[in-house]
Structure formats: C-alpha cells, structure tokens
Amino acid sequence: MKLSNMLITTLREVPAEAELPSHKLMLRSGMMRKMASGIYNYMPLGLKTLKKVEDIVRDEMNKAGAQEFLASALIPAELWQESGRWGVFGPEMFRLNDRNERQFCLGPTHEEVFTDIARAVIKSYKQLPLNLYQIQTKYRDERRPRFGVMRSKEFTMKDAYSFDKDYEGLDVTYNKMYKAYTNIFERCGVDCSAVEADSGAMGGSGSAEFMVKSEYGEDEVVFCDCCNYAANMEKAPSTPQKAEEEEIKGLEKVETPDAKTIEELIKFFNITPEKFAKTLIYKADDKVVAVMVRGDREVNETKVTNAVGGAVEFELADEKTVKEATSAEIGFAGPIGIKVDFLLVDEEVANMYNFIVGANETGYHYTNVNYGRDFEGTVGDFRNVTSEDKCPKCGESLTIARGIEVGHIFKLGTKYSESMNAVFSDEDGKKKPLIMGCYGIGINRTMASIIEQHHDENGIVWPLSVAPYHVIVIPAVSKNEEQMKAAEDIYNSLKELGVEVLLDDRKERAGVKFKDADLIGIPMRVTVGRMISEGKVEFKLRSSDEVEEMELSCVIDRVKEEFEKNSIKL
Ligand code: ATP
Ligand code: MG
C-alpha cells in the first residue's frame, strides 16, 4: 500500500478523554474513531490488526478441533426465557421489539443460541464431543464503558460452546481450550496468566480467566510469590488467622453514642481493628443477609452470594432494611438478636476472643463477645484475601495485583442443557443432558492489551504477528528519483514475497514520516536515503534503537530473517 493512496487519520493531539495508553494510541494512530460513548468505528489500519488477531484465534480454535459457526446477533426473547436469563440479565442487555411487538435482544453472549442449535442437531452420543465457535459481534449496555475498546458497548468476541457426553469428556475439551488460549495469547504477544475464577453459586466444576496485569485492571488477582497459583480475588480462599488465646470474659453492653464507624470505635475504645467484628447487611434478591468479618477485613461479595445460593441482585441493604434487621440506626449492627435470613460469620471471627460488635440498639455496642456463647451463624470464608494471607497451594506469601480479563473458559455442566432440555441418547439408550463448556475471548480487548504491553513514548510497537503491515519503506526525499526508484523496487520485491508492506511516498519531510511510522508501530523500517548512491539503505526494527546499514541487495533477506525469528511463515 502506498501511503499517498491511504486514508491516514493519525492525530497529533492526545484525546482528552483517553486515560489508558492503548486507548490513546488507538485514537492517535488512527486505528479507530469514537462515534459515541463505548462505540467505535474501525479505520483500515485498526481493522487489519483486528482481523489478524481474529485469524490467530481462528487458527488455534480450528487446530483444537472446534468448528466455526456464525449465529445471528438478534436473538428472540423466548430462548432467554427458557433458560431463565431474560429476567436475570438486567440493564446490560439491549432489548428491542420488532414491528409485531415480538421481543428480541442483541446478544450479549450466546449460550442459549448454541444450546438451541445443539438440541436440534445432536441426537446421539456418536456425534459427541462437539465444539462450536464463532467470531461475532456482541452487545452489552455496560454501566461504565471506558478505556476505549477494552470495555465497549459493541465488541467482537470469539465464543465457543462445547458439548460432551460426560464430565471426563468435558475435562478433555476444557484442557484443549486452555492450551489453545495459551497459544493464542503467546502468538499475539500478550503476556497473561490463567487464574482460577469463580464459577458461581451452582458450583460449576471449573473456570479460568486469562488476565493481563495492568494498573487499570478492574479485577483484583492474587498471585503466589513462589508457585504458579493465581486466582481472581472473588475466588481466592483466605487463610483464617487465629487470634491469640484469651480467657473468656463476661458480655457487656457499652454506651457508644457517637461511635459508629470502625475509625470512631478504634478511638473510642482505644483498641486495634482486629478486636472488632463488623456486621454488614446485604440484600440478595428478597433475602436479607448479614455478614461478619474482622474490623480490618473486606467482605467478599462473590463468596457471600455463592453461600446464599446465588442472587440476581446483590447489594448493600438500604437504610430501611438495616433498621428493620437491627432495630437501630445504621452503624450499630451486630449478630446478637439480629433479624435476617442468613447470618454468615467469617471463620476468623469465629476464632476471635472477647471482641466488640454492634448491639442492634442505637448508641450501643457489646464488648467481650465470643462466638458460640453469644451467637451462632454459618461459619465460612467470606472475606477478601490480603497480602498477609498464604498461598493455598504451597503456603508461601501472596501478591495482589490488578488485571484485565482477556479470556475466560468455563465448565458449565448442565446449567443450560437442563433448563433448555438439550439431551442426547447415550450408549445405554437413555436420554441425558449434554455436558457443556463455554469459552470466550474479547478480540478487541486482546488487541488493546497487545498495545498495553507493546508501546513506547513514540507509539505502538506491534509484534510482527499482529502488525497491520510488516514493513514500511521510506524514501527520505520522495522527489529524489534515485531514492524513490530504489524504494519502489524494495516495496515491489517484498510485496511479491507476500510481505505486507507500506511505501511512504508522501511529499513529507523524513522526520514526519519516521514519526508516523513509529506511531503506527510498523515492526520493520527500511529507509532509502542519500547512501543509495553507494547502493546502501538503512534497516531498523521498531523495537530497537539500532540502525543497521546494509547493501540494498541484503535488505530482503534481512526482512525474511525477522519472519523466521518470529516463526511466522511468509
Ligand atoms: P468483564 O468482567 O470485563 O465485564 P465478562 O466477565 O463480562 O468481562 P465474558 O462474558 O466472560 O466477560 O466475555 C468474554 C470476553 O469478552 C471477556 O474475557 C472480554 O475479553 C470480552 N469482553 C467482555 N465484555 C466486554 C466489553 N464490554 N468490551 C470489550 N470486550 C469485552
Ligand atoms: Mg462484563
């Protein structure tokens, strides 16, 4: 492609609303343009890389034995009503009616659609296992679309759905997908970790998220400092600390008129937060749930939601609910005499001695409280892990970092096949529900993550595997005929080899051309300048500062060498 013919839309200014490097660079390099909040249009340059990421995904999915499908984005409500998710999905789902008032949605995900396909086409165990995937547009009315295509309202997802006759089969399929995902991210140049993820109240048997470490990440990930253990904060089990043993003292009610928050109570009692147990009250759909954790801990809402059997809506209770449960103003909740559907007690609290809790009476707290003697509840792990906790696998220390989820693999089991009656005849002639798995990758988010990990102050530094073009040939002075002629020759030879190459034949200063080449991140640059009169050109990798001077006749081999180094076939 000659740049003089190409629509170049690079920007000099950094768009004000963009915070994330990838977001800034995708706009600045003219890969995409914003149309509305969370909605972007891809320009030719951006589309080329997007398609390359898709191709890598497609190649690895095919190699893993999955078959490509393409389902409609427009999905009738009935399918979602059958699975029970029409009411559950909430405002994230774009819903619409046709002219006959029939309800539809723009698919945020496609479990229902693929289960529907499977129940229609799969009759016998002989057709199993089957893994179907698509690379398709998804719609989600995100509460906070941000970071460009990292979280947008319309995005491309590769979603796969597997069908097996038993759980052993599902394990095999799941492991194949795990391997395929590892290959995909490696080929895209994305350094990410597979972390254990929550699989919901129904306790699906396994789930892993592929996480890219980033300070902008919306997930918290717990990494072991020693072994390969990593888990999403939602899932990571805590190691309860045992409080120092004390002689059990008598319960006392103490007037604490102005002390409601932990900070105020610390001051009031002149004591550390480990001596308090806070009681938080949540609404899980129509159930009221009280959760107790040590004063300095955070409640893990996922663990709590799972403990109460799952909930569509889970949030801190409103003032009215708190008052009904505690018969007190907010700030005085405690376990003794509380009126709730569930009282969940973090294991650590159950192991504490003579601690302080709210008295369920405005202006009062109890001291010298002890679990078992003064109250009882469901004891379990209900708090977030901290860096003081230990690795559940090897017992070593943990680090907590933020991460961006680029992919997710999930053992669904029979969640959809049971609700939607997707069955097959097994060898014994009996009808059994299909055992399912689902596997998603955000294509756009992966592309943005590549930029997060491959950029510098001058722009993007594309890995060769996903670069929109492999080589840019720059005649330093376009109107110099000798330079232009040599540049065109290199350009044509590379094109013939199947290299994707740009020729910057614009009548711009060399400095401007270099800046643009750096910004859009083309991995190899060949400059034809004054030295062409001695038969020499310059070769430079975007990822290195070194300029290699070489004979004109060597440059094609030099380009080929990079393809070999990166194990990319021409
Ligand atoms: P998140 O927690 O970030 O919202 P999710 O759990 O909703 O992600 P999945 O439903 O598992 O995501 O979707 C599979 C993949 O699709 C994700 O791993 C992510 O890469 C991508 N994805 C999800 N939502 C968006 C979005 N709004 N914009 C871009 N990509 C997305
Ligand atoms: Mg989401």
Side-chain angles (χ1 to χ4, degrees), residues 92 140 142 151:
E92 216 170 85
R140 292 184 187 179
E142 295 281 353
R151 187 174 295 289

Side-chain angles (χ1 to χ4, degrees), residues 279-321:
T279 307
L280 283 95
I281 301 173
Y282 289 89
K283 276 286 280 273
D285 295 334
D286 55 350
K287 297 273 190 300
V288 182
V289 184
V291 190
M292 295 185 73
V293 293
R294 208 172 80 178
D296 56 341
R297 302 302 195 193
E298 272 174 28
V299 170
N300 183 310
E301 297 187 356
T302 305
K303 292 176 184 173
V304 172
T305 310
N306 290 343
V308 301
V312 176
E313 293 205 22
F314 185 87
E315 56 190 7
L316 273 171
D318 54 79
E319 199 175 334
K320 184 169 161 270
T321 309

Side-chain angles (χ1 to χ4, degrees), residues 75-76 79 82 110-122 132 163 416-417 420-422 434 436:
I75 311 176
L79 283 183
E82 255 189 86
H110 274 70
E111 282 81 2
E112 283 78 359
V113 174
F114 278 75
T115 309
D116 183 50
I117 293 172
R119 69 180 167 186
V121 300
I122 298 173
L132 309 177
F163 304 91
Y416 295 91
S417 48
M420 295 180 66
N421 194 30
L434 289 158
M436 290 175 58

Side-chain angles (χ1 to χ4, degrees), residues 225-458:
D225 295 335
C226 199
C227 73
N228 61 359
Y229 178 79
N232 193 312
M233 177 62 87
E234 292 177 348
K235 159 97 181 178
S238 66
T239 35
Q241 296 206 354
K242 274 228 182 288
E244 227 171 276
E245 212 172 310
E246 282 176 30
E247 199 180 310
I248 289 178
K249 297 183 193 156
L251 186 69
E252 266 181 63
K253 196 184 216 175
V254 180
E255 198 174 352
T256 54
D258 299 318
K260 293 186 209 169
T261 65
I262 289 288
E263 291 74 37
E264 287 162 352
L265 287 161
I266 288 170
K267 263 206 196 135
F268 186 89
F269 286 103
N270 190 22
I271 217 164
T272 59
E274 294 96 81
K275 289 304 278 178
F276 293 94
K278 54 185 175 192
T279 307
L280 283 95
I281 301 173
Y282 289 89
K283 276 286 280 273
D285 295 334
D286 55 350
K287 297 273 190 300
V288 182
V289 184
V291 190
M292 295 185 73
V293 293
R294 208 172 80 178
D296 56 341
R297 302 302 195 193
E298 272 174 28
V299 170
N300 183 310
E301 297 187 356
T302 305
K303 292 176 184 173
V304 172
T305 310
N306 290 343
V308 301
V312 176
E313 293 205 22
F314 185 87
E315 56 190 7
L316 273 171
D318 54 79
E319 199 175 334
K320 184 169 161 270
T321 309
V322 174
K323 281 184 176 162
E324 277 167 15
T326 63
S327 324
E329 295 293 324
I330 288 184
F332 300 97
I336 303 169
I338 195 164
K339 296 186 283 296
V340 288
D341 299 298
F342 294 92
L343 174 59
L344 306 182
V345 184
D346 188 65
E347 222 172 321
E348 211 168 48
V349 172
N351 290 331
M352 278 158 57
Y353 295 91
N354 304 322
F355 51 96
I356 299 171
V357 301
N360 295 324
E361 187 178 332
T362 304
Y364 289 91
H365 278 77
Y366 281 118
T367 62
N368 299 333
V369 180
N370 289 279
Y371 181 76
R373 182 192 69 182
D374 303 318
F375 68 97
E376 277 181 4
T378 307
V379 177
D381 174 10
F382 302 117
R383 70 170 173 91
N384 278 344
V385 162
T386 71
S387 48
E388 290 165 29
D389 283 281
K390 296 287 173 242
C391 170
K393 237 177 155 179
C394 74
E396 290 300 318
S397 58
L398 298 169
T399 300
I400 298 167
R402 302 201 79 82
I404 298 171
E405 177 201 314
V406 283
H408 193 179
I409 59 177
F410 201 102
K411 293 183 188 173
L412 288 170
T414 56
K415 181 168 174 343
Y416 295 91
S417 48
E418 268 177 8
S419 58
M420 295 180 66
N421 194 30
V423 296
F424 69 100
S425 300
D426 206 354
E427 273 151 297
D428 54 13
K430 287 201 181 112
K431 292 241 186 294
K432 294 179 186 165
L434 289 158
I435 310 296
M436 290 175 58
C438 70
Y439 319 90
I441 287 186
I443 304 288
N444 325 61
R445 196 183 279 188
T446 299
M447 172 164 145
S449 302
I450 301 170
I451 301 174
E452 284 302 311
Q453 294 183 344
H454 300 271
H455 71 271
D456 61 18
E457 65 283 4
N458 298 321

Side-chain angles (χ1 to χ4, degrees), residues 106-248:
L106 290 174
T109 177
H110 274 70
E111 282 81 2
E112 283 78 359
V113 174
F114 278 75
T115 309
D116 183 50
I117 293 172
R119 69 180 167 186
V121 300
I122 298 173
K123 304 285 173 221
S124 148
Y125 71 95
K126 290 181 194 145
Q127 294 165 281
L128 302 175
L130 191 65
N131 192 352
L132 309 177
Y133 77 96
Q134 61 175 348
I135 296 176
Q136 189 253 11
T137 311
K138 299 279 183 275
Y139 296 88
R140 292 184 187 179
D141 194 358
E142 295 281 353
R143 193 164 49 92
R144 281 183 76 194
R146 58 184 187 149
F147 299 148
V149 297
M150 283 280 188
R151 187 174 295 289
S152 50
K153 290 183 176 169
E154 183 192 80
F155 59 97
T156 310
M157 196 201 286
K158 185 287 297 170
D159 45 332
Y161 305 89
S162 69
F163 304 91
D164 275 279
K165 65 184 167 93
D166 50 30
Y167 280 90
E168 290 75 49
L170 172 60
D171 287 346
V172 173
T173 308
Y174 181 87
N175 291 339
K176 273 192 195 160
M177 287 294 105
Y178 191 105
K179 183 77 185 75
Y181 274 42
T182 309
N183 294 348
I184 288 167
F185 293 120
E186 199 179 305
R187 282 176 66 181
C188 289
V190 174
D191 179 16
C192 67
S193 324
V195 317
E196 285 181 17
D198 174 58
S199 38
M202 299 306 152
S205 42
S207 165
E209 287 165 344
F210 290 76
M211 289 279 188
V212 170
K213 272 191 199 170
S214 160
E215 59 181 301
Y216 298 95
E218 290 173 54
D219 283 276
E220 271 191 308
V221 185
V222 180
F223 292 94
C224 175
D225 295 335
C226 199
C227 73
N228 61 359
Y229 178 79
N232 193 312
M233 177 62 87
E234 292 177 348
K235 159 97 181 178
S238 66
T239 35
Q241 296 206 354
K242 274 228 182 288
E244 227 171 276
E245 212 172 310
E246 282 176 30
E247 199 180 310
I248 289 178

